[in-house]
Amino acid sequence: MSESIARLRFAPSPTGLLHIGGLRTALYNYLLARQLGGAFVLRIEDTDQKRFVEGAEADIFRSLQWAGISIDEGPQEGGPHGPYRQSERRDVYREHAEMLVAKGAAYYAFDTEEEIELMRARYREAGIESAGYGVRTRGEMRNSLTLPVDEVESLLSQEVPHVVRLKVPAGRTVQLSDLIRGDVSFESDVIDDQVLMKSDGLPTYHLAVVVDDHLMNITHVVRGEDWLSSTPKHLLLYEAFGWTAPKMAHLPLILSPSGGKLSKRNAEKMGIPVTVRQYVEAGYEPDALVNFLALLGWHPADDRELFSMDDLIRAFDINRVGLAGVQFDLDKLNWFNQQHLRSLTDSELASLGRPFVEEKGYEVSDAALESVAALLKERITFARELADVTYLFADPAAFDAKGVKKRWSIEAAERLTWLEAHLSSLSNEQWTASTIHDEAEKALLARDVPLGKVMPVFRLALTGETSGPELFPLIEYLGRDTVVRRLRNAPALIGTSPE
Ligand code: GLU
């Protein structure tokens, strides 16, 4: 018999903008799905009406698309196992809850909040803190295990508010063989009789997730470590239904740089963006963020760090995901963004930078912007920085004061006039970085001045600054007319004209 086709899912709840940890979960599921030649399913877990946030679902779609994570089946794509929004599957859950009741694996419970609180108070008095509704206490409560059949039927027919609870078996050890954590076991006696259907007729996450993962033929569940404690309930549910549970993997937590869970609050305090939207707005490139997130928990077999999505699909190994929480490092992400920009062609980088250049009102041809990209590629972290070096688009209006103090003199100004005279005579064919360099050197050597001595003031006059991209490629980019003009204007602008 052939192995069943791998099917993985990302199952976010639309309770707010997609969190960076959610994107990592989506990514790991996606990588595994693609690697195994299987399907990647998006399921929206929106049964908790109280936590529903308008626009959150659209943000999930947009964020995944931005990151290059393509969905095979989902609310927008459709597919053979839909609907893919849990709020559209209510009947499925009700039906399955009834199946469990019929099998004796679940039961109706009619207790009010007050009655449950009274039970807890009784136990507290007897010295037992936080007694749950479960193996030990269910026999004292108002449910279909304790009430006569006809009473249960009449309560149900009168539509008295009730929930459906899982009847957790007593004295069992529930075993999980986690792809990352290895064998983990849980004692059933400490697990509450989980509510499966709420009194509003909607399922809880626990019922819905198990029913859907089964009906959608999910083969691997990869999710955050915070769900590990729910897993025994899910395993008991699979068992109650008589289904085989999918393989499971619980990803390590993402920790703040100062230790502790990277909560929204402490991330914000440290200036770390939390939502995918914030990363997009901050100007991170999707490929860089994906590369960074892939390594936030997964350790490749070699010490390679730079991966494209296709590389990741080939190299990713769920067995090499660590157990320990991983510290979030924004500097590292910035490094990935830098590296990613360096891997682009000049024209790709120019297109990324173009909207920012236009936003500042500069008019630049594609060819010129490609030269800007080439000049700055090794020096920037974000594509928007292409628009930040204003002297590449307009003559400098101000000159670095320290530079002026250190470099400017009548003598320096005079040397610039020699350069200007010589460079203005160069032909278009001669206007290349290396020829300009040689000619500048020649012009100065004729007067016994080494080029190196003049370079700093040359840069200052052309750019207003004391550092920047390589000088001669920069001069080539500026063009002869601009260079001559700037050299001519510099003395007046700087304020000390040569005598
Ligand atoms: N809806 C859950 C969440 O918001 C899904 C957890 C799971 O993957 O089972 O993360």
Side-chain angles (χ1 to χ4, degrees):
M1 222 175 78
S2 67
E3 277 267 298
S4 62
I5 296 171
R7 292 177 56 82
L8 289 96
R9 50 53 163 197
F10 177 49
S13 300
T15 55
L17 295 178
L18 184 62
H19 194 280
I20 190 75
L23 185 61
R24 183 191 62 164
T25 302
L27 176 66
Y28 282 24
N29 278 286
Y30 173 76
L31 293 177
L32 212 52
R34 291 287 170 265
Q35 181 173 86
L36 299 172
F40 178 64
V41 178
L42 175 66
R43 183 175 68 230
I44 299 293
E45 304 212 321
D46 57 350
T47 57
D48 193 347
Q49 307 272 295
K50 289 193 290 291
R51 297 178 62 220
F52 183 82
V53 171
E54 196 62 47
E57 186 184 285
D59 181 69
I60 292 167
F61 299 152
R62 212 178 18 236
S63 300
L64 295 180
Q65 192 187 27
W66 175 82
I69 296 177
S70 59
I71 299 159
D72 300 313
E73 293 170 33
Q76 291 182 307
E77 297 69 18
H81 304 278
Y84 294 91
R85 248 182 225 105
Q86 290 188 329
S87 57
E88 294 165 18
R89 301 171 62 82
R90 292 165 199 228
D91 295 345
V92 177
Y93 309 121
R94 157 83 32 209
E95 223 174 84
H96 281 82
E98 300 295 345
M99 269 163 58
L100 290 184
V101 175
K103 282 178 143 194
Y107 59 90
Y108 301 110
F110 301 94
D111 321 82
T112 61
E113 287 289 327
E114 294 73 36
E115 286 165 336
I116 295 176
E117 194 30 58
L118 279 174
M119 174 271 282
R120 291 218 169 94
R122 272 201 312 278
Y123 276 90
R124 260 198 306 275
E125 263 166 44
I128 295 168
E129 283 305 322
S130 54
Y133 196 126
V135 172
R136 188 195 331 225
T137 56
R138 64 168 83 109
E140 312 159 18
M141 306 302 288
R142 290 203 314 126
N143 55 48
S144 58
L145 302 174
T146 58
L147 300 173
V149 179
D150 51 349
E151 191 178 341
V152 170
E153 261 157 28
S154 118
L155 289 169
L156 289 177
S157 66
Q158 290 166 52
E159 293 181 11
V160 169
H162 63 276
V163 299
V164 176
R165 286 183 183 268
L166 178 67
K167 189 176 168 199
V168 172
R172 285 274 313 282
T173 302
V174 183
Q175 299 279 5
L176 163 70
S177 181
D178 189 275
L179 294 176
I180 296 172
R181 273 145 227 283
D183 291 338
V184 190
S185 57
F186 308 85
E187 294 311 318
S188 71
D189 286 354
V190 296
I191 303 172
D192 273 8
D193 283 358
Q194 178 60 50
V195 172
L196 303 177
M197 291 295 289
K198 296 176 285 186
S199 53
D200 60 4
L202 286 172
T204 56
Y205 154 72
H206 304 284
L207 176 68
V209 80
V210 166
V211 168
D212 286 347
D213 283 341
H214 176 75
L215 296 181
M216 296 181 181
N217 291 338
I218 298 302
T219 55
H220 301 68
V221 167
V222 178
R223 61 187 172 196
E225 188 190 306
D226 30 353
W227 298 103
L228 185 62
S229 60
S230 298
T231 303
K233 295 176 184 172
H234 301 173
L235 294 174
L236 287 171
L237 270 167
Y238 281 103
E239 190 182 297
F241 280 115
W243 297 336
T244 310
K247 294 194 173 93
M248 300 215 176
H250 289 88
L251 305 176
L253 288 179
I254 299 179
L255 303 177
S256 114
S258 58
K261 198 176 162 182
L262 183 69
S263 68
K264 204 165 166 244
R265 195 148 22 96
N266 70 28
E268 265 160 18
K269 255 197 261 153
M270 308 182 84
I272 297 175
V274 188
T275 63
V276 177
R277 167 106 46 104
Q278 287 172 312
Y279 285 88
V280 177
E281 283 167 3
Y284 288 97
E285 299 302 324
D287 295 13
L289 186 63
V290 160
N291 192 159
F292 168 76
L293 287 178
L295 294 171
L296 208 57
W298 166 58
H299 308 281
D302 49 27
D303 51 11
R304 194 165 153 207
E305 289 193 285
L306 298 175
F307 294 87
S308 67
M309 188 69 102
D310 286 340
D311 297 337
L312 288 172
I313 290 170
R314 274 189 295 272
F316 182 72
D317 181 354
I318 191 81
N319 298 306
R320 293 189 59 86
V321 174
L323 282 176
V326 275
Q327 228 146 21
F328 191 95
D329 180 353
L330 199 59
D331 291 339
K332 189 76 196 190
L333 172 58
N334 290 340
W335 181 82
F336 276 111
N337 216 60
Q338 237 166 22
Q339 298 305 312
H340 173 73
L341 295 184
R342 286 180 194 187
S343 75
L344 300 178
T345 63
D346 296 344
S347 122
E348 287 166 337
L349 181 54
S351 326
L352 288 180
R354 175 156 295 283
F356 304 101
V357 170
E358 284 175 0
E359 203 176 285
K360 293 206 170 165
Y362 302 131
E363 277 173 30
V364 198
S365 70
D366 286 345
L369 199 53
E370 279 181 35
S371 305
V372 169
L375 284 170
L376 299 182
K377 198 186 269 180
E378 304 285 321
R379 310 177 61 85
I380 57 175
T381 304
F382 296 101
R384 65 162 180 276
E385 290 172 64
L386 285 194
D388 290 351
V389 185
T390 49
Y391 60 74
L392 294 177
F393 310 103
D395 289 356
F399 293 79
D400 179 81
K402 269 199 199 140
V404 169
K405 196 159 177 241
K406 186 161 171 204
R407 304 288 180 190
W408 193 247
S409 63
I410 291 181
E411 190 184 40
E414 186 183 19
R415 289 168 176 172
L416 293 184
T417 62
W418 303 337
L419 280 176
E420 180 218 309
H422 195 83
L423 297 184
S424 64
S425 72
L426 296 186
S427 67
N428 288 345
E429 291 69 47
Q430 287 174 302
W431 199 261
T432 63
S434 69
T435 307
I436 301 164
H437 169 274
D438 295 349
E439 292 296 324
E441 191 161 53
K442 220 196 282 172
L444 293 166
L445 278 183
R447 290 166 159 106
D448 268 346
V449 180
L451 174 62
K453 271 217 135 81
V454 186
M455 296 255 290
V457 77
F458 197 5
R459 178 186 293 280
L460 181 70
L462 291 175
T463 69
E465 295 184 12
T466 55
S467 63
E470 253 194 282
L471 188 58
F472 288 95
L474 166 64
I475 293 173
E476 178 186 326
Y477 157 79
L478 290 173
R480 197 183 46 221
D481 293 351
T482 300
V483 167
V484 168
R485 184 180 63 246
R486 290 189 188 181
L487 288 177
R488 250 176 225 165
N489 292 343
L493 286 168
I494 293 176
T496 326
S497 305
E499 297 289 277

